[in-house]
Amino acid sequence: MTFEAAMGQTLSGISVGMVLFLIAAGLSIIFGTLKVLNLAHGSIYMVGGFLCYGLTTTLATIPGSFWWALLLAPILVALLGGFLEIFLLRRIYAQDMLYQYILTFGLILILGETCKFIWGVGYNTVPVPWPVDGKVSILGLMFPVYNLFLIGCGIAVFVGLLALMRFTELGRMIRAVTYNREMANALGINVPRVYTGVFMLGCYLAGLAGALMPPMSVVALGADMSVIIDCFIIVVIGGLGSLPGAFLGATILGLMNAFGIYIIPKLAVAFAFMLMIVILIIRPWGLMGKPE
Amino acid sequence: MKNWATQIISVKWGWLGILCIFLLILPFILPLSWVSLATEMLIMALAGCALNLMLGYTGMVSFGPAGLYAVGAYTTAILLTRYHAPFWGAVMAAPVLAGIAGLIVGWFCVRRSAVYFALLTLAFAQIIWTIIFQWYDFTNGDNGIVNIPIPDFFSLTNSYYFSLGVVAVCVGLLWRIVHSPFGKTLQAIRENPGRTEFIAIHVRRYQLAAFVISSFFLGIAGSLFCVFSGSVFPDYAHWAKSTDMLVVCLLGGFYSFPGPMIGSVVYIVLGKMISKYTMFWMFFLGIIIVFLVLYMRNGIMGFLGEKFSRGSH
Amino acid sequence: MRPVSIFVVITTILIVLTIGMAAPLQAAEKKPVVVGFIHSMSGAMSMYGISSEAGGQIAVEEINAAGGILGRPLKMITRDDKLNPEVGLREAKDLLLSEKADFLSGTISSAVALAISNHVKREKKIFIVNISQSSSITEENGHRYIFRIDTNAVPYWGYAPAIALANTWKDKKIVSLGFDYETGKNSLKAFKEKYFQLIPNAKIIDELWAPLGTTDFTAYITKIANSGADAFFLSCIYGGGELAFTKQAYAFGLYDKMHAIQPCAGDVETWHGVKKGEPYPKGTLATGRFPFWAIDDPKSKSFVEKHNKKVSFYPSYGAMNQYVIMYALKAAIEKVGGVDTEKIINALENMTLDTFVGKIPIRAYDHQAMMPTWYGIMDFSPSLPFPHLAKTQGVMGEESYHTVEQIKKLRQQK
C-alpha cells in the first residue's frame, strides 16, 4: 500500500466515521444520562435524512435550499424526540432495560413505516450543495470537498459538545443529573426537564447526521437497521456515556472499515463485533468510560 | 356470580384435557393452512419457553437467542445435506451443538451483568449471523440451505404431530426444571443476586447452567423448524428474530410459565392477520408493541391474572 | 399450571379460530384463475416489487376486459416477502394452501426464489420467476416446476457485459467491486469466464467485495482510484446501492479517471430521480433489458403509459416480465384447456413468447426464457429526463446464456 493510498483510505474512513460519530454521540449521551438504550436511534437518523430530502425538494426554488434543510431538519427531529420522550419514554424509566429495548424496537417499526408512508419506497437523492461541491487534489488523489466538510463538521460538533458540557450552566446540570439523579433533584434541578432536553439533544445530533448524509449517499428505507448496530459497536468501544469515547470509537470503526478491505475483507465485518466482545469482557465501560 | 366462574376454572385438569384433545384432532377439524400455522406456533412457543427460562425465571435479558436457535437449525440442515447423516442423528445433534455453543457464548456473557450481558449476547448472535452469512462454502451463505432431504414421512400433518410431540415433551421437561430446587434457585437469583450469592450459591454457575439449558431447547426449536420448513436461512440468527422471541415472551407474560406459549399464538396470528389487510402492517405491529410495554407489562397472562385474582375475592 | 392459564389458552384459541374462520366466502361464480404474486413490496428493493406488480395488474386488467381466460376471470394476489426467504416461503405456502393459487410468480431475492422453488418442487405447482437473477435457480437447482421469464446473472451481469467490453474498449487491467453474496460472486465468475476467452491477456487486478446492502463505498472508491486499473466493473450492485456508489464515485472523479462498466445501470428505476447536472454514471458501459424509449411498438408505448399512470414512474424490466408471464399463462391455459400443472408445463416448454422485446423462446431444458440483453453507453438524451442507455450498441440473446451442455455439467457436479 502506497502512502497516497493510505492517505486516501484514512481520509475516507474518517469522513464516514464523523457521520457515525454524530449518531453515536447522541446514543451515548442518551444512555449516559437517561440510562436508556435507544434502539430507535437509527430510525431518528433516517427521519433526519428524509426530512432533509423533503425540505430540500420543497424549498428547491430558494437558493441554498440544502443549507436551510440542514438547519431545520435536525430541529424538527429534536422536536419529534421531545414528543417521544414526554409521552412514551418517560413512563418506562423506572422499568427494566428489557422494556426500553422492546419499546424502542416498536418505535423503529412505527417510524420506519411512517417514513414509507410519507416519502414512499424509492431511493431519493440530494445534490451536493454549493460551495462544498468541488473536488480537491490531495497527494494526487481527487477527494470530494464535501467529505472534508463532513470531517470539519464532526470535529466542530465534538468541540462544541465538550464546551457545552464543561463550560455552560446547562452542561453542568446535565453532568449533575448524570452523576446522581436524586442528589441533583434534591438540589432543585428540574430533572425531568433535563431528561427531555438531553433526549432532544441526542435526537438533534442524529437528525444532523441524517441531514448531512444525503448529498454523499442515498436516502432510503433500511438505513435505520444498518446504522444502529454500528452505533452500538462504537458506543461500547468508546464507552457508554462518554463523548470523547464516541469520537474515538467512531474514528476506530471508520478506519477499521476503510483498511479492513485491504487486509481480510471477509472477516472485516466480524472484526468489529469481536472487538466489541473483547471490550465488553475486559473493560466493559469502554476505552474512555468510567467504571460504575 | 364469580363463584361458579372460579369453580369451572379450578377444574384445571379438565381444561388441560380439552386442550390436549383439541391439539390432537386439530388437523382433522381445521384446513391445512391452519395446521401449518399451528406448527409454527408450537415451535415459536418452545423457543419462547426456552428463552423465558433465562428471561423470566433467572432475570437474564438476552438479546441474542436467535443465534442459538440458528445453530440448532443449521446443525440439522448441514448434517443432512452435506454429510448425509441419518435423520434422527441430525435432529438429535442440534440441541447438543446448540448447548455447546451456549456453553461457549454463555461462559463469556455471564461474566458481566445487566446491560453489558445483553450487549454481549447481541454481539455473539451477530457473529453467529456473520459466520453463517459469510462462510458460503459451508453454510451456503445468504441463499440459505434449501432442498434438505427430510424423509417423505414428514408431510405437513405429520410434521405437525412430530412438533407437537417434541414440544410437549420439552415443555414438560422445562416445567420440571422450573419447579425443581434448581428452578427455585434461579428465581432467587432473579430477585436478588447479591443475597443469593451470600447464601453460598455460586450465582455465575447457575446463570451459565440456565444459559446452556436455554440454548439446548432453542436448538431443538431450530431443528424442528428445519424439519418443518425443509430449509434454513441466515436470518434465523438475526437480531430482529431475537426481538420477535422477546416480544413473544413479553406479550404472553414472562412471569408465567405458559406466557410464551400464549404470546406465540397471538403474535403469529396478529402478524398474519394484519399483513393481510394493509401494506403498513409493521406500523400497527409497532403500535401494539408500544401499547404492550406501556400498559400490559406483564403480558396477557399478567393482565388476566390480575382480573381473575380480583374476581376470586 | 394455574387453572386460569388453561382457560386463557383455550379462550385464546377459540377467539383466534373464530376470527380466522370468518373468512369471506368464495363467490359462487366462475372460479377465477389465481396467480399468487410474491415480491419485495417494502424495503430497499420495493420499487421492483411495486413495478412488477403494476406490470402484472395491467395484464390482468387487459385480460379480464377481453373476457378472461376460457371465460374465467384472472386474479392476482400480492404478498410481501420483505426480502426475507423465511417470510417469502410462508407466504408461498399460504397462497397455495388457503388461497388455492394455481400458479406462483415473482421474487427479486434469489434466496426467496430458491426457497419457494424448493417448496413448489415438493408440492408440484408451477413457480415463474420474474426478476431473481441467480443462475442456480434454473441451472444447478433447476427442476420441472420452475420457470424464469427474465435474464439471469450469467447473461446480464456476466456474458453480455463481457462481450460488450470486448466489442468496445477491450480493457486489460480491471478492478471489480461487488456485493458479497452468491449472485455477486457468480456474476463476476461468469464475466471472467467469457471476457478472458475473448481478451486472453486481460486481468482482474483486484477483487473488492462490499457487504450486501451497504450504501457507503467511499473506502472502496479510494482503493479503486489508486489501483492503476484501466476500468472498474461492478458486480451485482444495483438499486439504491448503485445510486449511492455513482454519487460517491462521481464526487471522487472516478468516471473521469477510468472506464466504467456498470451492468445494472440500464435499469431505469435507479436513475429516475436524477436530473441533468447531478451525478450520473457518465460514459459508463451498461446493459439493459427493456429500453422502452428505443422500442417503436405501440403496444409497448401503451404499456409504458399505463404503468406510469398506475405508479407514477417508468416501468422496470420486471414489470415487463410480469406482464409477459401473465400472458404466457393465458396462452398455455387456453392451449391445454385447463390449469392442469403437468400439461401447462409441457405447453410452456414449447412456447415462444410474444413480447415487446421480440419473439422469445422458452428453452425446454432449463425452463429459461431467452430474454435479450442490450448494451450501450449511459448518457442523457432528449427521450427521457434522466440518464439511460442513450446509445444502444448491440443486443444479445441466446448466445449470452450458458449452453445446455454447460448446465448439464453443472447439474452433474452437484
Side-chain angles (χ1 to χ4, degrees), chain C residues 175-369:
Chain C
V175 59
S176 77
L177 170 65
F179 273 144
D180 193 2
Y181 72 128
E182 190 247 346
T183 313
K185 293 277 170 70
N186 279 347
S187 308
L188 183 65
K189 197 165 98 171
F191 174 80
K192 290 198 304 200
E193 222 170 69
K194 194 56 138 172
Y195 192 64
F196 295 161
Q197 208 180 66
L198 299 170
I199 310 277
N201 49 352
K203 273 215 307 265
I204 308 273
I205 60 176
D206 206 354
E207 274 182 35
L208 300 175
W209 297 104
L212 181 61
T214 193
T215 48
D216 173 56
F217 298 94
T218 334
Y220 302 97
I221 290 172
T222 39
K223 191 165 187 217
I224 293 175
N226 281 319
S227 63
D230 305 317
F232 71 84
F233 172 79
L234 290 191
S235 177
C236 241
I237 299 191
Y238 58 102
E242 190 183 17
L243 184 59
F245 173 85
T246 299
K247 281 187 74 169
Q248 290 153 18
Y250 193 84
F252 276 86
L254 198 61
Y255 290 106
D256 299 317
K257 198 167 173 141
M258 56 177 79
H259 286 151
I261 305 130
Q262 286 182 223
C264 320
D267 298 345
V268 297
E269 54 279 329
T270 314
W271 313 110
H272 69 80
V274 175
K275 299 183 263 302
K276 230 171 154 73
E278 292 175 9
Y280 74 105
K282 196 163 92 169
T284 304
L285 181 66
T287 50
R289 290 168 278 190
F290 184 35
F292 53 83
W293 54 90
I295 294 176
D296 206 8
D297 178 351
K299 283 206 287 188
S300 169
K301 293 199 203 291
S302 143
F303 176 73
V304 172
E305 230 180 86
K306 286 185 188 169
H307 186 280
N308 259 330
K309 218 185 291 180
K310 252 192 198 299
V311 289
S312 321
F313 55 88
Y314 286 97
S316 63
Y317 58 92
M320 178 202 49
N321 293 334
Q322 195 61 41
Y323 182 84
V324 169
I325 288 173
M326 294 309 207
Y327 272 99
L329 284 172
K330 170 171 187 280
I333 296 173
E334 285 173 349
K335 177 144 177 234
V336 308
V339 292
D340 175 72
T341 302
E342 302 299 321
K343 292 199 188 127
I344 300 274
I345 293 177
N346 294 336
L348 286 171
E349 278 179 351
N350 295 306
M351 190 176 284
T352 299
L353 304 163
D354 189 7
T355 76
F356 306 139
V357 295
K359 297 244 183 286
I360 312 294
I362 297 180
R363 192 160 63 184
Y365 184 71
D366 57 342
H367 290 181
Q368 169 78 51

Side-chain angles (χ1 to χ4, degrees), chain A:
Chain A
M1 195 187 324
T2 63
F3 179 69
E4 287 81 6
M7 203 54 200
Q9 293 311 107
T10 308
L11 280 176
S12 59
I14 295 183
S15 59
V16 172
M18 286 299 105
V19 179
L20 288 176
F21 159 66
L22 290 174
I23 316 173
L27 187 68
S28 199
I29 296 179
I30 291 176
F31 184 81
T33 309
L34 280 64
K35 306 283 185 283
V36 169
L37 210 51
N38 181 22
L39 215 54
H41 208 65
S43 306
I44 308 258
Y45 156 81
M46 191 170 81
V47 170
F50 274 108
L51 278 174
C52 171
Y53 163 74
L55 287 169
T56 312
T57 37
T58 319
L59 302 172
T61 46
I62 303 176
S65 59
F66 172 76
W67 301 106
W68 285 109
L70 187 63
L71 183 68
L72 291 172
I75 295 179
L76 290 172
V77 168
L79 290 173
L80 171 68
F83 175 80
L84 290 174
E85 198 273 340
I86 296 177
F87 290 107
L88 292 177
L89 286 173
R90 231 178 236 193
R91 296 169 200 247
I92 56 161
Y93 286 141
Q95 304 305 328
D96 192 60
M97 158 196 55
L98 172 66
Y99 297 111
Q100 302 161 7
Y101 187 78
I102 297 191
L103 177 77
T104 48
F105 178 75
L107 283 177
I108 294 182
L109 299 180
I110 296 176
L111 289 172
E113 292 293 288
T114 311
C115 286
K116 179 161 104 177
F117 182 72
I118 301 178
W119 285 288
V121 297
Y123 334 111
N124 301 299
T125 173
V126 163
V128 184
W130 182 87
V132 290
D133 57 348
K135 297 188 255 289
V136 286
S137 177
I138 299 183
L139 301 166
L141 175 68
M142 295 302 272
F143 207 77
V145 174
Y146 193 74
N147 286 47
L148 295 172
F149 170 66
L150 284 178
I151 297 179
C153 280
I155 297 178
V157 168
F158 179 48
V159 170
L161 281 174
L162 280 179
L164 178 83
M165 290 297 173
R166 199 140 297 181
F167 302 123
T168 66
E169 177 77 33
L170 176 65
R172 262 195 290 274
M173 282 205 288
I174 294 176
R175 276 188 289 141
V177 169
T178 308
Y179 193 63
N180 191 326
R181 183 202 153 110
E182 283 80 13
M183 197 56 126
N185 196 24
L187 290 172
I189 294 180
N190 188 340
V191 172
R193 208 178 284 175
V194 173
Y195 270 24
T196 310
V198 169
F199 192 78
M200 287 176 73
L201 176 62
C203 289
Y204 178 86
L205 290 170
L208 184 65
L212 283 170
M213 200 49 156
M216 69 173 240
S217 185
V218 290
V219 180
L221 300 168
D224 49 0
M225 301 290 226
S226 49
V227 114
I228 193 66
I229 294 284
D230 277 343
C231 277
F232 270 34
I233 296 176
I234 291 175
V235 155
V236 163
I237 293 177
L240 284 160
S242 159
L243 206 54
F247 191 81
L248 181 63
T251 316
I252 292 179
L253 189 65
L255 288 172
M256 245 172 62
N257 284 337
F259 283 97
I261 63 172
Y262 266 100
I263 308 169
I264 4 117
K266 244 196 168 27
L267 291 181
V269 187
F271 230 63
F273 291 120
M274 288 198 266
L275 185 56
M276 184 175 166
I277 289 175
V278 165
I279 298 267
L280 278 169
I281 292 181
I282 62 178
R283 204 189 149 96
W285 50 88
L287 292 174
M288 304 208 66
K290 288 186 249 302
E292 276 172 32

